[in-house]
Amino acid sequence: RKKIAEVVKKQKMRAAPQGEAAISGRLADIGFPELVQFVSSCALSGRLVLKHDESGLPRRGELDVRSGEVVAAFCGESSGDKAVYEMAEWEDGTFRFEPGTEEIDTNTSMPTLTLLMEAMKMRDERART
């Protein structure tokens, strides 16, 4: 929590097109798990957009969040839980949270913290091999 608070303090709050604040930063400063936990604990609603360069190829992922719960995820050709698992592997790149209330169909199968724990478990298992 301390790390997140420090990053948020350093963040520049910028006006989004609708006049709402957007938070952006680098995944190297705040990891994917901490970022998702922050969005969840603050019960934010909107879209978390992540960008990552993988072997010279830019990748983009999106998490749609409603009241702190990830309701949909997209990453390249993947969607739902699988997209979250892919983004959880990213240790560098950028993120931007865009507040909003746009409705989107749910494509994740678990509550946010359960989904995050499963993603971290899979990440740890891959690291061991």
Side-chain angles (χ1 to χ4, degrees), residues 1-2 20 24 49 60 64 80 83-84 92 102 109 122:
R1 289 184 184 191
K2 183 178 177 182
E20 299 175 341
S24 61
V49 178
R60 177 185 168 104
D64 285 299
V84 174
D92 61 0
E102 178 184 334
S109 68
M122 293 174 78

Side-chain angles (χ1 to χ4, degrees), residues 27 49-53 59-61 90 92-96:
L27 288 172
V49 178
L50 297 98
K51 294 181 181 178
H52 169 73
D53 186 44
R59 300 219 32 219
R60 177 185 168 104
W90 299 354
D92 61 0
T94 61
F95 69 86
R96 177 177 171 83

Side-chain angles (χ1 to χ4, degrees), residues 33-90:
E34 293 85 8
L35 182 58
V36 173
Q37 286 176 333
F38 173 74
V39 169
S40 179
S41 68
C42 292
L44 298 177
S45 292
R47 178 167 288 149
L48 182 59
V49 178
L50 297 98
K51 294 181 181 178
H52 169 73
D53 186 44
E54 190 169 296
S55 303
L57 299 172
R59 300 219 32 219
R60 177 185 168 104
E62 296 181 2
L63 297 175
D64 285 299
V65 184
R66 298 295 167 258
S67 300
E69 287 295 315
V70 174
V71 296
F74 305 93
C75 183
E77 299 295 317
S78 300
S79 62
D81 299 352
K82 185 176 179 186
V84 174
Y85 303 153
E86 288 182 28
M87 287 181 274
E89 297 287 331
W90 299 354

